[in-house]
Amino acid sequence: MELSNLVGFTISRVLNENADTKTIFLLGKFESRDGEAIVLLEKQGLTEEVSQRFIADKSTCLKFTMQNDIYGLYTGCCDVTSVNQIKVTVIHPATPRLVDKFSAHSLHMVRETIADYQRVTLPYILETKKDLQWVENLLEKKAERDRVLCEDDDPENGFVLAADMKWNQEQVEEMYVLAICRQRSLYSLRDLDGRHVPMLRNIRDKSLACLNERYGIAASQVRAFLHYHPTYYHVHVHFTHTRLQQGSVCVGKAHLLDDIIDNITAIDEHYYKKCTLSYQLQDSHPLLRRLRGSDDVASSA
């Protein structure tokens, strides 16, 4: 749906809010539309250009709060549109799984053996991997063409590199892009072995070159990693600027791409089909409940 404003959206509850990222997730309903919707409001980051407009604009006013030695604290406001912009993301209809995903939760650490994966995790993945039409649309060039930065059509080693919806493609230090592989049979980190090293290197090298060419970001200023567990089960690589600090790069979730390649090439080409992996899951995650019913992980979960 295409909106010109949010009039008619009734908030039922706040799912989550984060003062650090200046975001809030709202659950509610739109008039004359069936089903619930999630509205994400995100205050946009400041750039040098926006800061100059704020300082120079005659509508800017400061409200004094306090003075302590050399430090003066004020609240500022102005009529400059770019200063007051809020990024709005609308998800409709919002399935129960999405509502749960964007809600605040406690986190629990799990140690998953390969036996746990084969007995519990893989059946769960096969049950939940179906709702990936948006991935297919991206790979088949049917959607989000304005967000695609580069692509490789090779069926084995190819991928699509696209700007994540979290990034407005303006503030370079907030860069967040995703490389989605073209192989549909790769669900997660566990599926990667020696056969996939050429694909992983191709994704890494071409993506880093693209980011340097388009935005002037050096390879040493880019994190490349995979999540385990990912939000959706189709292998994809996250690329973020090293200045960007958020939960997606935390221990218990992110595995650096170079480390993955090294584990497969230097230790064992079937490393991820044998090793025990530690990761975090939200308390409401259905996989956590299933794993807690497994004797091998009950004590660590």
Side-chain angles (χ1 to χ4, degrees), residues 41 171 185 192 199 248 293:
L41 303 180
Q171 283 84 12
S185 61
L192 299 176
M199 178 193 73
S248 63

Side-chain angles (χ1 to χ4, degrees), residues 146-202:
D146 58 323
R147 303 187 72 83
V148 173
L149 306 180
C150 73
E151 50 195 330
D152 183 331
D153 292 332
D154 184 89
E156 294 296 320
N157 299 324
F159 65 97
V160 174
L161 184 71
D164 190 273
M165 293 181 66
K166 292 186 283 291
W167 185 38
N168 62 11
Q169 301 184 64
E170 295 179 5
Q171 283 84 12
V172 171
E173 293 182 352
E174 295 180 7
M175 183 272 294
Y176 201 129
V177 302
L178 297 174
I180 301 176
C181 80
R182 292 198 177 276
Q183 290 196 46
R184 272 72 166 182
S185 61
L186 298 178
Y187 305 142
S188 75
L189 180 61
R190 287 286 195 189
D191 293 309
L192 299 176
D193 57 34
R195 298 169 297 172
H196 306 113
V197 170
M199 178 193 73
L200 296 174
R201 286 174 171 162
N202 186 52

Side-chain angles (χ1 to χ4, degrees), residues 25-298:
F25 294 84
L26 306 171
L27 180 68
K29 289 187 175 182
F30 285 97
E31 291 180 354
S32 304
R33 292 186 181 274
D34 295 330
E36 293 182 306
I38 296 171
V39 173
L40 164 60
L41 303 180
E42 180 180 358
K43 184 65 178 175
Q44 295 293 273
L46 294 174
T47 63
E48 180 180 355
E49 180 183 358
V50 171
S51 300
Q52 289 176 342
R53 291 179 181 176
F54 176 76
I55 291 172
D57 195 89
K58 292 182 180 179
S59 69
T60 298
C61 63
L62 300 178
K63 181 180 179 181
F64 176 74
T65 302
M66 59 162 283
Q67 182 79 35
N68 187 348
D69 193 25
I70 62 174
Y71 302 99
L73 181 61
Y74 301 83
T75 299
C77 62
C78 72
D79 296 332
V80 179
T81 302
S82 55
V83 175
N84 298 314
Q85 280 186 342
I86 292 178
K87 179 182 174 182
V88 181
T89 302
V90 177
I91 303 173
H92 179 270
T95 64
R97 184 167 175 265
L98 287 170
V99 172
D100 184 72
K101 172 186 173 181
F102 291 112
S103 298
H105 292 285
S106 298
L107 296 173
H108 300 267
M109 292 301 298
V110 171
R111 282 180 58 77
E112 178 192 272
T113 67
I114 191 61
D116 298 325
Y117 172 75
Q118 293 170 345
R119 185 173 63 255
V120 180
T121 305
L122 181 57
Y124 170 79
I125 291 174
L126 295 176
E127 290 175 16
T128 59
K129 72 178 184 65
K130 301 172 184 177
D131 188 19
L132 292 178
Q133 187 57 51
W134 72 271
V135 173
E136 285 298 320
N137 290 342
L138 192 61
L139 292 175
E140 296 298 327
K141 306 181 182 183
K142 296 178 180 179
E144 299 188 52
R145 299 304 298 166
D146 58 323
R147 303 187 72 83
V148 173
L149 306 180
C150 73
E151 50 195 330
D152 183 331
D153 292 332
D154 184 89
E156 294 296 320
N157 299 324
F159 65 97
V160 174
L161 184 71
D164 190 273
M165 293 181 66
K166 292 186 283 291
W167 185 38
N168 62 11
Q169 301 184 64
E170 295 179 5
Q171 283 84 12
V172 171
E173 293 182 352
E174 295 180 7
M175 183 272 294
Y176 201 129
V177 302
L178 297 174
I180 301 176
C181 80
R182 292 198 177 276
Q183 290 196 46
R184 272 72 166 182
S185 61
L186 298 178
Y187 305 142
S188 75
L189 180 61
R190 287 286 195 189
D191 293 309
L192 299 176
D193 57 34
R195 298 169 297 172
H196 306 113
V197 170
M199 178 193 73
L200 296 174
R201 286 174 171 162
N202 186 52
I203 290 175
R204 177 193 63 191
D205 296 344
K206 288 185 178 178
S207 297
L208 291 176
C210 173
L211 293 172
N212 180 258
E213 181 180 347
R214 292 181 68 116
Y215 304 106
I217 306 174
S220 61
Q221 293 180 299
V222 178
R223 293 189 199 90
F225 56 92
L226 280 74
H227 281 160
Y228 193 78
H229 277 255
T231 303
Y232 53 95
Y233 292 103
H234 180 114
V235 163
H236 55 285
V237 181
H238 302 246
F239 292 86
T240 69
H241 198 288
T242 52
R243 292 289 297 273
L244 184 65
Q245 301 294 329
Q246 56 175 239
S248 63
V249 299
C250 69
V251 172
K253 192 171 187 179
H255 297 255
L256 293 173
L257 178 58
D258 281 331
D259 290 348
I260 294 170
I261 293 173
D262 193 56
N263 287 338
I264 294 173
T265 57
I267 300 177
D268 188 328
E269 67 172 334
H270 298 296
Y271 181 88
Y272 291 101
K273 298 180 185 294
K274 299 178 179 180
C275 70
T276 295
L277 290 173
S278 298
Y279 53 84
Q280 63 184 26
L281 289 176
Q282 295 179 345
D283 54 7
S284 64
H285 200 294
L287 180 58
L288 180 63
R289 293 193 291 271
R290 295 192 190 189
L291 287 168
R292 279 180 161 168
S294 169
D295 293 337
D296 290 347
V297 299

